[in-house]
């Protein structure tokens, strides 16, 4: 893709990396979108941080690492089956993955929606595990990270419309090549 798409793909990939179960380990330079393979005979291209997209990539990584450390659902049950649940892993037509991370067995959910295409989807419906309100706590498409600034600013209330095997669902805007994290709040 073009320059914007390269960084959007980078943010989406790292969003998947940070939110999927398991421990995260970035290779040198990965935190700011280093363009070359690591070389042991010279230092990283630190000058890239003077470019806005690389600086935004560093900010995105810093914010994601802080979020993973702060939100127990993103790390507490990394190696337990009860810490992860698919919502929809079969959406090949739109290339959207959605899953849930839990802090305690099936409690305190964070819903992750990952769009792997440059298409935008409005009023996209996904099933959710709990009745209440879901608040977007991270969206890789925000302009501060170099994105197009499509995000869900208002709380998303559940509706009694079954979807993906759940009794309730929400609708949201799914930004292009982006990851969105939605935290459940008791209504």
């Amino acid at each position: 893709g073009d320059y914007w798409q390269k960084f959007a793909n980078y943010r989406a990939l790292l969003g998947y990396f940070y939110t999927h179960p398991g421990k995260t380990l970035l290779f040198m330079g990965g935190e700011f979108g280093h363009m070359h393979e690591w070389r042991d005979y010279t230092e990283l291209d630190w000058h890239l941080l003077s470019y806005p997209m690389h600086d935004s990539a560093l900010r995105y990584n810093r914010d994601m690492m802080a979020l993973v450390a702060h939100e127990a659902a993103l790390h507490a049950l990394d190696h337990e089956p009860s810490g992860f649940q698919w919502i929809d892993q079969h959406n090949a037509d739109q290339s959207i993955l959605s899953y849930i991370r839990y802090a305690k067995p099936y409690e305190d959910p964070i819903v992750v929606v990952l769009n792997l295409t440059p298409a935008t989807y409005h009023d996209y419906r996904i099933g959710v595990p709990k009745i209440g309100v879901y608040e977007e706590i991270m969206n890789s498409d925000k302009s501060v990270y170099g994105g197009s600034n499509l995000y869900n600013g208002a709380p998303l209330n559940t509706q009694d419309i079954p979807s993906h095997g759940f009794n309730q669902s929400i609708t949201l805007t799914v930004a292009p090549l982006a990851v969105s994290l939605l935290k459940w709040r008791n209504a």
Side-chain angles (χ1 to χ4, degrees), residues 71-125:
E71 295 293 342
L74 298 176
H75 66 265
L77 299 175
D78 263 353
H79 302 291
E80 301 294 328
S82 61
F84 179 88
Q85 182 179 11
W86 284 108
I87 296 173
D88 186 6
Q89 74 273 29
H90 299 293
N91 188 342
D93 292 337
Q94 295 169 306
S95 293
I96 296 177
L97 296 174
S98 52
Y99 48 92
I100 306 163
R101 295 296 310 272
Y102 294 101
K104 300 173 198 158
Y106 306 105
E107 292 187 28
D108 302 325
I110 291 182
V111 172
V112 179
V113 180
L114 183 65
N115 182 2
L116 300 172
T117 69
T120 301
Y121 299 96
H122 298 281
D123 299 318
Y124 186 82
R125 182 169 302 281

Side-chain angles (χ1 to χ4, degrees), residues 44-183:
L44 296 173
D45 293 336
W46 294 109
H47 70 278
L48 292 174
L49 288 171
S50 64
Y51 295 95
M53 291 300 271
H54 291 274
D55 187 55
S56 295
L58 180 63
R59 181 178 184 157
Y60 173 67
N61 273 289
R62 189 176 331 127
D63 290 353
M64 283 298 288
M65 285 188 276
L67 189 63
V68 168
H70 180 262
E71 295 293 342
L74 298 176
H75 66 265
L77 299 175
D78 263 353
H79 302 291
E80 301 294 328
S82 61
F84 179 88
Q85 182 179 11
W86 284 108
I87 296 173
D88 186 6
Q89 74 273 29
H90 299 293
N91 188 342
D93 292 337
Q94 295 169 306
S95 293
I96 296 177
L97 296 174
S98 52
Y99 48 92
I100 306 163
R101 295 296 310 272
Y102 294 101
K104 300 173 198 158
Y106 306 105
E107 292 187 28
D108 302 325
I110 291 182
V111 172
V112 179
V113 180
L114 183 65
N115 182 2
L116 300 172
T117 69
T120 301
Y121 299 96
H122 298 281
D123 299 318
Y124 186 82
R125 182 169 302 281
I126 60 168
V128 291
K130 290 185 167 247
I131 295 171
V133 175
Y134 288 78
E135 176 187 343
E136 189 171 59
I137 58 172
M138 171 57 81
N139 188 315
S140 66
D141 195 54
K142 285 190 171 182
S143 60
V144 70
Y145 303 129
S148 59
N149 219 32
L150 284 172
Y151 62 94
N152 299 279
L156 304 168
N157 295 305
T158 58
Q159 300 169 326
D160 291 328
I161 300 172
S163 184
H164 300 105
F166 295 97
N167 292 329
Q168 59 280 329
S169 59
I170 57 173
T171 58
L172 67 150
T173 296
V174 180
L177 297 169
V179 63
S180 176
L181 281 71
L182 308 164
K183 185 172 182 172

